[in-house]
C-alpha cells in the first residue's frame, strides 16, 4: 500500500502531529478593507511612522490615506527609503530616523520589501542595533513596535509572518531574521492595492505564494518539545495543512489570469486571498528546499526571489514523490486533478505545478538564468547554511540530494530526479 514515509512513525506513536498558529490579532481581507486602517492605527496611538514603497508613496490610494490620517489628527512621517534587496546599512539608517520620530505604531505599505523593512525598523526602534545581532531564529529579545501591514503585492505573506530578510555585504547571500515578535499586529489585505502591479511582479510574487503553500504542506513532520521555547518554524502542522491546501485552490486557477490581465478584479482577489492564506500557513510551519536554494541562486544571478523559488519548486517536488506521495496526491486534488490513484496523482501534481510556472513565464532551468554547472556544488553548500529551511525538508538535506535536484534544474529535466521505478513509466510533461 502506498504511504508517506512518516506514516509508520505516526502510527507507532513516535510522531504526533500538532497544531500551531501565530498570527496578527486582526486580519482583514477583501475589496474595501483598507478603509479600516484609520481605526486600526488609532488603536495603537497617534504617531505613525509609515514605511512606504517609494513607487507607491505618490499613488492616489496612499495620498488619500495619508490625507485622511492628517485630517483625523494623526502625526505621520512618511519614510520611503526602501532599497531593493534591503541592504542592512540602509535599514540601520532608517531605524535611526524612526527612533528620532518616537512613533507609536509603524505602518508598512508596499510589497514584501517595504513590509520587511518596516518589521526591521520596528525592531530597531524597540531594541536598537546592530541588526546582525538578530540574524537567525528567536534572537529578538521582546515585543517590537506594533506594525500594521498593508501589502500591495500578492505573494510574500510578510503581512502575517514572523520573518524579514535582509542583505548584508558580510554575508554571501540574503539572511533572515525570524521571531514571533516580528508578526504584525494587523494585516489589511485589500486586492484593490495590487491592481497596478506589473505582470512580472504579479508572476514572481504570485508563484512565490504558491511555493509557500506547497512547501508548508510538504514540510517535514518534526518532533516538537513542548516543554522548551518553541522554534519559530515547527514543520508540517495540522492547522497549516488546511490553510496551505486552500491557498493552492485559490492561487492555481487564478494566477495566470492575473498575470495576463492585471485588471481582472476577481483573479486579483483570489490570488491575494491565496497569498494571505499561504502566509498564514507557512508562518508557523516553515518552507524548505526551494527557498534554501533560492538564496544562493538569487545572489549569483541577481534574479527576484519568486523567480528562483518558482524555478526550483517542480524539481524539489519531483524529489519528494517517492517519500510523500499521499501529500502530493492531496496537492494534485487541490490543483484541480481528479486522478484517484495516488501514485499517478503525485506525479500529476508536479506536472501541473511545472506547467503553471511555464505559463506565467518562469524560466525552465538554471542554465537559462546564467547559472554555470560549476556553480552547483557551491549553491548546495550555501543552501545548507539556511538551517531553518533545510531542517523542514521532507527528503532530508544530504548534499548529494541537493546536488541531484540542482543538476536536474540546471538541465531543465525532471526525469533526472525521477525514482528509478518511475523512469520511463511517466515521461510526458517531465521536462520542466
Ligand atoms: N517576510 C516574508 O515572509 C517574506 C516572504 C517572501 C519574500 N520576502 C521578501 O519580499 C521581497 C519581495 O517582495 P515582493 O515580491 O512583494 O516585491 P517588492 O516589494 O520588492 O516590489 C517589487 C516591485 O514592485 C513594485 N510594486 C509593489 N507593489 C506595487 C503595486 N501595487 N503597483 C505597482 N508596483 C508595485 C515595487 O515598487 C517594486 O519595484 C524580497 O525582499 C523577499 O526576500 C519576504
Ligand atoms: Fe518566498
Amino acid at each position: 500500500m502506498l504511504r508517506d514515509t512518516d506514516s509508520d512513525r505516526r502510527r507507532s506513536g513516535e510522531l504526533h502531529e500538532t497544531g500551531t498558529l501565530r498570527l496578527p490579532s486582526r486580519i482583514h481581507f477583501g475589496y474595501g478593507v483598507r478603509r479600516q486602517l484609520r481605526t486600526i492605527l488609532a488603536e495603537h496611538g497617534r504617531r505613525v511612522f509609515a514605511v512606504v514603497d517609494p513607487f507607491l508613496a505618490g499613488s492616489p490610494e496612499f495620498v488619500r490615506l495619508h490625507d485622511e490620517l492628517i485630517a483625523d489628527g494623526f502625526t505621520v512621517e512618511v519614510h520611503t527609503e526602501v532599497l531593493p534587496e534591503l541592504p542592512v546599512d540602509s535599514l540601520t539608517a532608517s531605524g535611526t530616523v524612526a527612533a528620532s520620530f518616537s512613533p507609536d505604531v509603524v505602518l508598512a505599505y508596499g510589497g514584501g520589501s517595504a513590509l520587511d523593512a518596516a518589521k526591521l525598523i520596528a525592531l530597531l526602534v524597540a531594541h536598537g542595533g546592530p541588526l546582525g545581532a538578530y540574524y537567525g531564529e528567536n534572537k529578538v529579545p521582546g515585543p517590537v513596535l506594533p506594525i500594521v501591514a498593508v501589502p500591495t503585492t500578492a505573494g510574500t505573506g510578510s503581512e502575517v509572518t514572523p520573518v524579514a530578510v535582509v542583505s548584508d555585504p558580510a554575508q554571501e547571500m540574503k539572511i533572515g531574521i525570524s521571531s514571533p515578535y516580528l508578526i504584525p499586529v494587523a494585516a489589511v489585505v485589500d486586492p484593490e492595492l495590487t491592481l497596478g502591479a506589473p505582470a512580472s511582479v504579479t508572476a514572481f510574487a504570485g508563484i512565490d505564494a504558491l511555493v509557500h503553500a506547497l512547501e508548508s504542506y510538504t514540510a517535514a513532520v518534526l518532533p516538537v518539545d513542548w516543554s522548551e521555547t518553541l522554534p519559530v518554524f515547527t514543520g508540517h502542522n495540522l492547522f497549516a495543512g488546511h490553510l496551505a491546501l486552500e491557498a493552492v485552490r485559490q492561487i492555481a486557477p487564478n494566477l495566470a489570469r492575473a498575470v495576463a490581465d492585471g485588471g481582472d478584479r476577481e483573479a486579483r482577489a483570489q490570488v491575494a486571498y491565496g497569498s494571505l492564506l499561504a502566509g498564514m500557513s507557512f508562518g508557523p510551519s516553515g518552507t524548505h528546499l526551494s527557498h534554501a536554494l533560492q538564496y544562493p541562486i538569487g545572489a549569483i544571478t541577481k534574479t527576484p526571489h519568486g523567480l528562483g523559488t518558482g524555478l526550483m519548486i517542480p524539481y524539489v517536488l519531483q524529489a519528494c514523490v517517492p517519500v510523500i506521495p499521499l501529500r502530493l496526491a492531496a496537492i494534485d486534488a487541490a490543483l484541480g486533478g481528479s486522478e484517484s490513484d495516488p501514485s499517478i496523482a503525485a506525479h500529476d501534481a508536479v506536472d501541473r505545478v511545472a506547467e503553471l510556472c511555464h505559463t506565467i513565464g518562469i524560466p525552465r532551468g538554471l542554465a537559462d538564468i546564467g547559472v554555470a554547472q560549476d556553480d552547483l556544488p557551491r549553491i548546495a553548500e550555501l543552501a545548507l547554511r539556511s538551517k531553518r529551511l533545510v531542517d523542514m525538508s521532507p527528503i532530508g538535506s544530504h548534499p548529494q540530494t541537493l546536488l541531484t535536484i540542482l543538476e536536474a534544474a540546471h538541465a531543465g529535466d525532471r526525469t533526472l530526479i525521477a525514482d528509478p521505478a518511475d523512469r520511463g513509466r511517466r515521461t510526458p510533461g517531465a521536462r520542466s
Side-chain angles (χ1 to χ4, degrees):
M1 196 180 71
L2 196 71
R3 59 169 72 135
D4 292 356
T5 49
D6 48 32
S7 316
D8 289 338
R9 294 171 70 206
R10 277 189 245 178
R11 217 188 316 276
S12 71
E14 190 190 332
L15 273 183
H16 293 285
E17 241 178 307
T18 52
T20 296
L21 285 179
R22 297 192 196 94
L23 294 170
S25 55
R26 264 187 186 234
I27 301 175
H28 297 292
F29 170 79
Y31 284 107
V33 299
R34 64 193 184 286
R35 308 312 303 268
Q36 268 296 302
L37 277 168
R38 286 182 291 167
T39 308
I40 296 171
L41 288 165
E43 286 171 3
H44 300 282
R46 308 305 288 184
R47 296 182 65 78
V48 179
F49 192 76
V51 180
V52 186
D53 181 292
F55 179 75
L56 298 172
S59 66
E61 281 296 343
F62 183 76
V63 170
R64 182 166 73 163
L65 172 64
H66 177 262
D67 292 349
E68 285 174 355
L69 289 172
I70 300 296
D72 277 2
F74 287 87
T75 305
V76 183
E77 175 142 333
V78 178
H79 186 76
T80 57
E81 292 297 305
V82 179
L83 302 186
E85 302 302 310
L86 299 190
V88 68
D89 287 348
S90 75
L91 289 163
T92 306
S94 296
T96 307
V97 175
S100 66
F101 175 71
S102 299
D104 297 321
V105 55
V106 174
L107 170 64
Y109 190 103
S113 301
L115 270 46
D116 281 10
K119 287 173 166 180
L120 298 174
I121 290 167
L123 164 60
L124 285 166
V125 174
H127 300 291
L131 278 178
Y134 311 114
Y135 292 165
E137 281 198 77
N138 271 336
K139 303 269 174 56
V140 176
V144 305
L145 283 188
I147 303 156
V148 175
V150 186
T152 64
T153 59
T156 70
S158 183
E159 66 275 11
V160 290
T161 69
V163 58
V165 186
V166 298
S167 57
D168 180 338
Q171 313 276 331
E172 254 177 273
M173 54 186 183
K174 283 174 90 174
I175 185 155
I177 296 178
S178 310
S179 161
Y181 292 123
L182 293 185
I183 298 171
V185 292
V188 175
V189 183
D190 192 324
E192 190 81 37
L193 302 178
T194 70
L195 288 174
S200 62
V201 171
T202 305
F204 298 147
I207 201 68
D208 191 38
L210 185 69
V211 178
H212 293 156
L214 295 170
E215 293 207 327
S216 175
Y217 192 70
T218 55
V221 181
L222 299 179
V224 178
D225 184 347
W226 292 96
S227 64
E228 295 288 333
T229 302
L230 287 184
V232 179
F233 301 104
T234 58
H236 185 74
N237 90 59
L238 291 168
F239 303 129
H242 293 290
L243 291 162
L245 287 182
E246 188 56 24
V248 172
R249 285 185 206 107
Q250 298 295 329
I251 298 167
N254 292 294
L255 180 55
R257 279 174 57 193
V259 173
D261 175 7
D264 183 333
R265 294 177 68 85
E266 191 194 334
R268 284 285 196 193
Q270 310 286 47
V271 175
Y273 181 49
S275 161
L276 170 63
L277 295 178
M280 291 164 66
S281 175
F282 93 85
S285 62
T287 55
H288 56 87
L289 292 182
S290 303
H291 276 77
L293 292 163
Q294 188 280 325
Y295 284 117
I297 291 167
I300 290 172
T301 60
K302 311 277 179 254
T303 48
H305 175 76
L307 183 152
T309 57
L311 192 157
M312 290 309 301
I313 191 67
Y315 303 96
V316 169
L317 292 182
Q318 187 72 58
C320 293
V321 168
V323 180
I324 46 169
L326 298 184
R327 271 196 257 164
L328 287 167
I331 287 172
D332 186 56
L335 288 165
S338 55
E339 173 57 56
S340 57
D341 178 343
S343 65
I344 298 174
H347 287 278
D348 287 353
V350 190
D351 289 349
R352 283 179 209 283
V353 170
E355 188 54 38
L356 175 56
C357 291
H358 180 56
T359 307
I360 62 164
I362 304 292
R364 282 190 192 273
L366 291 174
D368 301 333
I369 58 170
V371 175
Q373 182 92 32
D374 292 352
D375 294 330
L376 304 183
R378 182 70 182 145
I379 292 172
E381 194 185 319
L382 287 169
L384 288 168
R385 290 194 195 164
S386 296
K387 205 172 161 341
R388 76 179 156 97
L389 297 169
V390 293
D391 280 356
M392 301 297 149
S393 163
I395 51 173
S397 53
H398 193 283
Q400 187 54 50
T401 305
L402 269 59
L403 210 48
T404 303
I405 291 171
L406 284 165
E407 277 165 0
H410 191 262
D413 185 355
R414 279 186 287 124
T415 62
L416 298 176
I417 311 174
D419 198 329
D422 289 322
R423 259 184 221 154
R425 189 166 64 100
R426 297 257 333 157
T427 38
R431 284 190 78 88
S432 278

